[in-house]
Amino acid sequence: MKTYDAIVVGAGHNGLTAAAFLAKAGLDVVCVEKNDYIGGAAVSRNLYKDWWYSNCSYVCSLLRPEIYRSLELHKHGLQVTPYGGSVTFMENGDYYGSYHDEEVAYREMARFSRQDADAYKTYSADTMRQCRFIRDFLLSTAPDPTSLKPKDIRELIRIGGKFMEMGEDRMYDTIRFWTMSVAEYLDEYFETDVIKAAFSGSGIIGTALGIHSPGTAYVLLHHYMGDVDGNVGSWGFARGGMGAVSQSIAGAYQAAGGELRTEAGVDQIIVKNGKTTGVALENGDEIAGRVVVSAMDVKRTFLTCMDKGDLPASFHKRVENFKIRGSSGKVNIALDGMPTFSALPEGSSLYSSDMHFIDSMERMERAYDDWKDGTWSKDPYVDMVIPTVSDPTMAPPGKHFMSCFVQYCPYQIEGRSWTSDEKGAFGKTVIDQIANYSPNFKDLILHAEVRTPQDIEAEIGITEGNIFHGELTMDQLLFNRPVPGYAQYRSPVDGLYMCGSSTHPGGGVMAAPGANAAREILSDLKRPNTVPESFGDD
Ligand SMILES: Cc1cc2nc3c(=O)[nH]c(=O)nc-3n(C[C@H](O)[C@H](O)[C@H](O)COP(=O)(O)OP(=O)(O)OC[C@H]3O[C@@H](n4cnc5c(N)ncnc54)[C@H](O)[C@@H]3O)c2cc1C
């Protein structure tokens, strides 16, 4: 039987990124994927007739520019176009629009509160400062503070230096920011409820926490720290849907000689004498490899695909305790035409923005109360976009695809599986909420697909369908992600590595975990590093 240098398990964008950098270093790599298509949660699929859609992730910003450039993803078809602003519809018929143009943004905020319009500059500068601090560490391995290795000590000193450079007040602020709730953070700047509601959404997306829960200010940062074409905080659409990201990375991987096998689900990671020797597939085949790199989430890797006896008990326990809770659903809709929104003037640029339908902090928190009660939010926070306004390639001429990301949607209803009636009722909740603001919306619906966390788990294999492969709270970040002592992509088993979103710096279509893992593996194998240096505080 042939022995590969490396077997990568899972052809999501992180698995493909790790595979690409390993193949570029001359390793003989095979990437095995359980589905008959690649991409994991960054995928474009057929929704209905000639409608294509991003069925999980839907907008792009976090993808590290170093990786885009190094793998020459543009040559493999990736094109990301920024889209503009956001809008929050209000129950009183008004709306709050957020615009890229500074003057327009100021005037719109001042319509609600001059104080808030003036405070926005300080808010942006403070939030951007936190972004610049964290961006520097995305494409690097989190140093272990207990290690005495020169590499870890050097990195700790570097981070400490950057922290000190911030100045006294900002050092205090940074620690507060990383641990406080998004509601408290926004209260420090703004007084208008709808403005706070509009900004607070980024603090809860993909998170089983409410706007008043400690740690949600950091989640907001996670959604601001990306960029499109160097514009930090901007979001864009990948032309052809998010599958274009995975397809382009797969193109780079295959161009470097890598092998891709679909319909090759891994049943077991094989361990002999404390070292991995390969994988056993669900169809009974075995593949031998010197190194196995898992892009599956940490629970699926260690609790589902391995024997408990192959792992130290303390490590196994830590993995059991790792928080991966389902809190988000999706409703994907094929539309016969473009919906209109009563509050928006015809031709408003906000038609190509992301749209929200909750206008107060009270309603934001109530949405979370439903999740805690084991059911979907009856007045949900919906992040809705119509990508076909900017990218007509995804639907027939004049038709549209609408993506609704919904917070909150539990993994189980009151502790048991969803029934099809409940799934239908969840979809109806979302459609009704949008229809309150758009008179022609319901008549345009040709097809609607409802996806609960259970559906996401069944399709992509992410535990509880948690979009980040694990909560992004301080206890699960940096050197604690996913498990203290194992945050550098290695595992307790010799030759077994992790490269998915359960590892630093976490979830989102960022490709950083995959790249960071490849760098560590190449270093262990004493091969030349092919992973680019971080652009740092660019
Ligand atoms: C509904 C939803 C909306 C999101 N929206 C956004 C967004 O708009 N923007 C953004 O940046 N991020 C978004 N995210 C988050 C982002 O998509 C994910 O964090 C990211 O794609 C995860 O990538 P990954 O490569 O680490 O893992 P995954 O994409 O989960 O890939 C893991 C791969 O492993 C495969 N696999 C699993 N088990 C096995 C097995 N036993 N054998 C072989 N293969 C296996 C899976 O099929 C999958 O292909 C969203 C996620 C979801 C679910």
Side-chain angles (χ1 to χ4, degrees):
M1 184 170 47
K2 172 178 176 172
T3 301
Y4 288 90
D5 291 327
I7 304 167
V8 177
V9 184
H13 83 287
N14 272 316
L16 291 166
T17 301
F21 285 117
L22 296 179
K24 272 184 81 172
L27 265 60
D28 189 5
V29 187
V30 62
C31 180
V32 291
E33 164 59 45
K34 75 179 177 67
N35 288 327
D36 61 1
Y37 56 87
I38 63 160
V43 70
S44 307
R45 307 206 68 208
N46 186 232
L47 173 63
Y48 164 81
K49 293 190 179 169
D50 290 332
W51 276 254
W52 288 84
Y53 77 130
S54 301
N55 80 355
C56 282
S57 60
Y58 50 104
V59 281
C60 191
S61 168
L62 300 171
L63 182 65
R64 293 309 306 155
E66 301 91 336
I67 294 168
Y68 184 98
R69 235 186 255 183
S70 163
L71 294 180
E72 299 186 301
L73 299 184
H74 57 286
K75 288 193 183 162
H76 299 281
L78 182 59
Q79 205 184 333
V80 180
T81 47
Y83 68 87
S86 76
V87 57
T88 300
F89 294 103
M90 300 172 68
E91 282 184 316
N92 65 5
D94 197 359
Y95 67 94
Y96 163 66
S98 158
Y99 303 87
H100 283 320
D101 183 301
E102 271 181 38
E103 286 218 356
V104 182
Y106 182 89
R107 279 203 304 275
E108 173 68 348
M109 252 190 198
R111 207 160 64 76
F112 295 89
S113 155
R114 173 74 56 147
Q115 192 284 127
D116 285 0
D118 290 336
Y120 183 68
K121 242 189 177 159
T122 320
Y123 168 79
S124 298
D126 289 351
T127 310
M128 197 49 61
R129 193 170 296 112
Q130 297 300 337
C131 282
R132 301 192 82 125
F133 181 64
I134 187 85
R135 273 166 68 85
D136 199 19
F137 310 123
L138 298 176
L139 205 56
S140 61
T141 298
D144 186 336
T146 68
S147 148
L148 294 176
K149 287 188 201 144
K151 197 172 128 215
D152 285 310
I153 293 170
R154 266 199 312 271
E155 186 63 2
L156 280 167
I157 292 172
R158 188 175 80 87
I159 294 176
K162 289 219 56 147
F163 187 56
M164 307 271 277
E165 273 169 26
M166 288 182 139
E168 271 180 28
D169 286 350
R170 287 168 186 161
M171 285 159 72
Y172 293 131
D173 284 346
T174 300
I175 298 297
R176 292 178 66 245
F177 179 81
W178 281 58
T179 49
M180 73 200 300
S181 75
V182 68
E184 286 164 345
Y185 183 59
L186 294 170
D187 277 344
E188 296 195 351
Y189 300 90
F190 304 112
E191 62 183 12
T192 309
D193 210 17
V194 66
I195 290 174
K196 289 191 274 186
F199 289 171
S200 67
S202 298
I204 55 156
I205 282 189
T207 305
L209 294 171
I211 54 163
H212 291 287
S213 311
T216 44
Y218 173 77
V219 181
L220 173 120
L221 179 64
H222 202 84
H223 287 101
Y224 275 20
M225 68 194 186
D227 68 278
V228 179
D229 290 341
N231 291 310
V232 177
S234 284
W235 284 80
F237 294 120
R239 198 168 167 85
M242 289 301 279
V245 176
S246 305
Q247 290 295 344
S248 64
I249 301 171
Y253 166 55
Q254 287 174 309
E259 186 183 332
L260 201 49
R261 280 198 218 173
T262 52
E263 295 181 273
V266 166
D267 180 51
Q268 277 287 301
I269 293 167
I270 304 167
V271 179
K272 288 183 184 147
N273 303 320
K275 177 171 180 10
T276 181
T277 57
V279 296
L281 299 184
E282 284 158 0
N283 67 7
D285 291 352
E286 285 193 10
I287 306 177
R290 292 182 182 88
V291 157
V292 173
V293 189
S294 174
M296 299 181 286
D297 73 55
V298 69
K299 283 198 194 265
R300 197 169 169 97
T301 302
F302 297 105
L303 306 183
T304 309
C305 293
M306 289 187 72
D307 281 338
K308 195 172 175 178
D310 288 331
L311 296 165
S314 58
F315 178 85
H316 195 269
K317 188 79 198 154
R318 291 270 198 185
V319 174
E320 280 180 334
N321 290 342
F322 187 71
K323 289 184 304 226
I324 307 190
R325 301 175 295 195
S327 64
S328 326
K330 266 202 93 178
V331 181
N332 296 305
I333 302 173
L335 292 170
D336 205 13
M338 185 66 192
T340 52
F341 290 86
S342 311
L344 291 185
E346 210 185 313
S348 165
S349 65
L350 297 174
Y351 272 100
S352 60
S353 72
D354 50 319
M355 304 194 181
H356 309 109
F357 308 88
I358 287 201
D359 63 357
S360 74
M361 296 297 265
E362 168 81 17
R363 288 173 68 195
M364 293 292 291
E365 184 67 14
R366 292 263 174 251
Y368 179 50
D369 288 345
D370 287 332
W371 182 87
K372 282 184 281 177
D373 288 343
T375 183
W376 68 92
S377 305
K378 300 304 181 288
D379 180 22
Y381 172 77
V382 175
D383 186 41
M384 184 273 266
V385 287
I386 307 178
T388 37
V389 174
S390 314
D391 177 9
T393 64
M394 297 181 76
K399 314 291 180 194
H400 288 281
F401 150 58
M402 176 190 277
S403 163
C404 306
F405 181 91
V406 192
Q407 199 75 20
Y408 300 80
C409 180
Y411 176 63
Q412 292 188 312
I413 296 292
E414 290 162 5
R416 51 155 181 83
S417 288
W418 285 73
T419 65
S420 59
D421 281 355
E422 284 160 346
K423 237 177 105 164
F426 165 59
K428 185 173 177 312
T429 304
V430 175
I431 287 169
D432 285 349
Q433 194 194 50
I434 297 170
N436 286 338
Y437 302 90
S438 171
N440 67 342
F441 168 54
K442 277 192 181 173
D443 292 339
L444 294 171
I445 298 176
L446 296 171
H447 176 81
E449 179 208 48
V450 180
R451 290 162 73 75
T452 67
Q454 253 169 34
D455 299 317
I456 295 168
E457 180 185 71
E459 192 175 308
I460 305 160
I462 307 177
T463 302
E464 291 210 12
N466 179 294
I467 79 165
F468 296 128
H469 284 207
E471 302 281 341
L472 297 174
T473 44
M474 264 317 273
D475 56 323
Q476 301 196 156
L477 287 176
L478 298 166
F479 45 78
N480 282 332
R481 190 170 183 90
V483 167
Y486 295 95
Q488 298 191 335
Y489 311 96
R490 297 170 185 85
S491 78
V493 172
D494 201 14
L496 174 60
Y497 295 83
M498 301 169 259
C499 75
S501 296
S502 292
T503 60
H504 170 77
V509 181
M510 198 180 338
N516 289 340
R519 192 193 319 99
E520 295 299 329
I521 296 164
L522 290 171
S523 156
D524 286 357
L525 297 180
K526 307 211 172 349
R527 295 290 193 117
N529 178 31
T530 53
V531 178
E533 287 291 311
S534 167
F535 288 165
D537 181 11
D538 51 350

